[in-house]
Amino acid sequence: MHAEPALRHAPRLRDLMLLLPVSVLGVGVPLGMIDVVNRVNDPMYGGASARRIGQAVGELGWGLAALAGILAGWIAVCSSDAGLRAHPGRAVLLALGLVAGLALAVDLIAGWQARGILGSSGFDLVFGALLTLAPGWVAVTQLWRIARLRPARQGARHGQ
């Protein structure tokens, strides 16, 4: 019986550095979601109406997708290949979270481009690229890594 070579995955410094600024700013996402819920019930903003509740649901969905993307990015970067191979269900959930984060990044770029925010100055271009393209790059590389993993053989221990 021939042993399969153990594929080791150590988190790359590049991936960690690309996720760090997004994660620092991502701390504000749950706070923004709390603010959205408070605004729906606040009579100063007109109270709860169907339109306001619909907007709140959209903003909460956007916030949940952002959190899923950030969490999936960190988990995928820090997970070993053997761990992802042994738990295919977890790998599928990570892939879905990465796709949600990637779709969110594309949505941000399209929205900023439509409003003329992106490219109005060099700082805006660099800042926008850092916040949207960097985690998108991490998501694409991790999705590629997850897609090429083979499931573990039945009866084989990790690394064999």
Side-chain angles (χ1 to χ4, degrees):
M1 189 161 216
H2 185 65
E4 185 179 314
L7 296 174
R8 297 180 188 257
H9 174 74
R12 293 183 178 166
L13 183 62
R14 174 196 68 193
D15 292 342
L16 296 176
M17 293 307 292
L18 289 175
L19 282 176
L20 188 64
V22 175
S23 298
V24 169
L25 293 173
V27 171
V29 172
L31 299 174
M33 292 169 65
I34 291 170
D35 181 54
V36 167
V37 172
N38 287 337
R39 277 187 293 156
V40 167
N41 296 322
D42 195 351
M44 185 176 91
Y45 290 103
S49 67
R51 186 179 134 270
R52 188 166 298 283
I53 290 173
Q55 287 176 339
V57 167
E59 290 180 28
L60 290 174
W62 193 91
L64 288 174
L67 284 177
I70 291 171
L71 289 175
W74 277 107
I75 293 170
V77 165
C78 296
S79 294
S80 68
D81 289 342
L84 290 175
R85 222 181 300 118
H87 303 284
R90 186 181 305 161
V92 169
L93 285 176
L94 282 178
L96 289 175
L98 290 169
V99 167
L102 189 60
L104 200 64
V106 170
D107 179 54
L108 277 174
I109 290 173
W112 287 348
Q113 188 67 33
R115 284 187 233 119
I117 294 172
L118 197 61
S120 59
S121 72
F123 175 77
D124 292 340
L125 185 63
V126 170
F127 190 69
L130 178 68
L131 289 180
T132 57
L133 297 178
W137 174 256
V138 173
V140 167
T141 58
Q142 295 303 316
L143 281 170
W144 179 252
R145 186 178 134 228
I146 290 171
R148 41 167 225 200
L149 290 176
R150 293 177 305 197
R153 292 184 306 182
Q154 294 297 327
R157 290 184 289 162
H158 294 293
Q160 287 187 340

